Amino acid sequence: MSNLAAGAAPGKVILFGEHAVVYGRPAVAAALEHGLGASAEPDDDGPTLRIPGWGKNGMVVRLAAPNKAFDAIARAYAAALDAAELGRPPVCLTLDGELPLGVGLGSSAAFAVAILRALADFRGRPFSPAELLEAAALVETVFHGTPSGLDHTVVADGGCLRFQKDAEPAFTPVKLPAPVPLVVAWTLRQGSTRDVVGGLRARRDAHPAPYDRLFDLMAHTAEAGIAALEAGDHAALGALFDINHGLLNACGVSNLENERMVRVARDAGALGAKLTGAGMGGAVIAVVPERPARVVGALRDAGFSAFATRVG
Ligand code: PMV
């Protein structure tokens, strides 16, 4: 069977400012070289969605015969078909790529944007950039309730963005002189983003003054990080990753696995490392301009998943 249509989208990492962004401070996020691709084929039993790389044995979701285990994926797929005004067409979309599910690397935003691009290709009419963002927000809402918009904006845009929720404009581009060489490592998460954000909210409400100081320090670190990114200064970027990681640890969102990943990456030659996203497991990023294979190998030897990539 030949492909009818295709679409792709990168994953994302938060370089600076996760958690503090919830309290109005700036965050910086960038698109990854790694991502997801979607291709469409005719399928009389469709609409069907196949994701061979997710779940224990891959996922097959048929909208006509719902499987409770993949309910959120099915609802998100239905939302994408509705946003593309396609009804329930006889197609099977296959989603492939190197992005793990649910560790904070933007898998749900990449899911949304790759599928929407493939569906737009299938119907023969692309989304405008504004339509794509609006449709991706609808699909992301199925997974996240009230997404900030950071993930799907970075994933659809493909660059590096500063985000601050009450600023006008909320998104501003960060201009990188060259893509930034990172190693990404990950492990399972303890609890959802919602749980980790809720836990921090409770600690902050009990002790607002010190937490608000930590968020202010994260804001300073993010602004210094933007200067390092725009100057292409990898040593400064690494030092600022280390500072931001220490502040996230002080907020109580880094677990033993995050600490181990950060330590292994630094010991193997990374210029700096931090957790990225919600924390309590999930993903860690390290600045590694030279010999990334050594850092990736050390992380894999320690039992983690890892790849070398570039962002922006
Ligand atoms: O791990 P992720 O990609 O879900 O990122 C969460 C980022 C937080 O700042 C912790 C929460 C948020 O809504 O911004």
Side-chain angles (χ1 to χ4, degrees):
M1 245 189 290
S2 65
N3 281 356
L4 291 175
K12 73 95 202 1
V13 286
I14 298 180
L15 299 173
F16 293 102
E18 51 275 274
H19 287 291
V21 72
V22 174
Y23 300 86
R25 275 48 162 207
V28 183
L32 283 171
E33 212 173 45
H34 288 62
L36 297 175
S39 55
E41 297 171 334
D43 174 9
D44 290 341
D45 298 327
T48 307
L49 179 62
R50 295 189 333 113
I51 316 180
W54 287 359
K56 262 205 195 111
N57 303 304
M59 297 179 179
V60 178
V61 177
R62 275 185 221 291
L63 291 195
N67 174 342
K68 269 240 153 27
F70 307 139
D71 181 53
I73 302 263
R75 283 186 290 119
Y77 185 31
L81 287 163
D82 292 343
E85 297 173 329
L86 276 169
R88 296 291 176 262
V91 293
C92 174
L93 282 192
T94 300
L95 196 64
D96 264 316
E98 296 158 297
L99 219 53
L101 177 64
V103 299
L105 296 177
S107 56
S108 61
F111 169 100
V113 172
I115 282 184
L116 286 163
R117 283 184 172 147
L119 292 176
D121 192 22
F122 172 71
R123 72 180 183 182
R125 180 165 50 88
F127 286 106
S128 71
E131 285 169 347
L132 181 64
L133 286 181
E134 195 182 322
L138 288 173
V139 178
E140 272 264 88
T141 300
V142 173
F143 292 113
H144 289 313
T146 51
S148 65
L150 177 60
D151 277 27
H152 62 257
T153 304
V154 169
V155 162
D157 180 90
C160 181
L161 293 175
R162 177 191 190 277
F163 170 71
Q164 192 166 9
K165 70 178 176 190
D166 300 322
E168 190 52 58
F171 291 97
T172 47
V174 176
K175 293 190 188 69
L176 305 177
V180 182
L182 295 185
V183 167
V184 178
W186 72 92
T187 184
L188 288 181
R189 263 187 180 168
Q190 283 175 346
S192 64
T193 297
R194 193 186 299 243
D195 295 338
V196 183
V197 169
L200 178 54
R201 168 77 64 189
R203 293 191 292 281
R204 185 252 170 204
D205 287 350
H207 305 283
Y211 281 99
D212 289 345
R213 298 292 191 287
L214 289 171
F215 301 145
D216 286 338
L217 287 170
M218 288 193 216
H220 286 297
T221 309
E223 301 296 4
I226 290 170
L229 285 164
E230 293 191 330
D233 186 340
H234 295 148
L237 190 63
L240 292 160
F241 271 22
D242 287 346
I243 293 170
N244 198 348
H245 182 76
L247 295 167
L248 288 162
N249 183 318
C251 286
V253 297
S254 177
N255 73 3
L256 200 55
E257 308 270 74
N258 295 120
E259 294 307 310
R260 280 187 60 222
M261 287 190 276
V262 162
R263 172 53 61 93
V264 169
R266 288 175 188 155
D267 286 352
L271 300 183
K274 66 181 279 290
L275 72 79
T276 181
M280 296 311 281
V284 155
I285 51 175
V287 185
V288 191
E290 276 161 36
R291 301 180 67 194
R294 199 174 127 179
V295 177
V296 169
L299 285 158
R300 289 186 181 157
D301 288 348
F304 300 108
S305 303
F307 57 65
T309 187
R310 296 183 309 166
V311 296

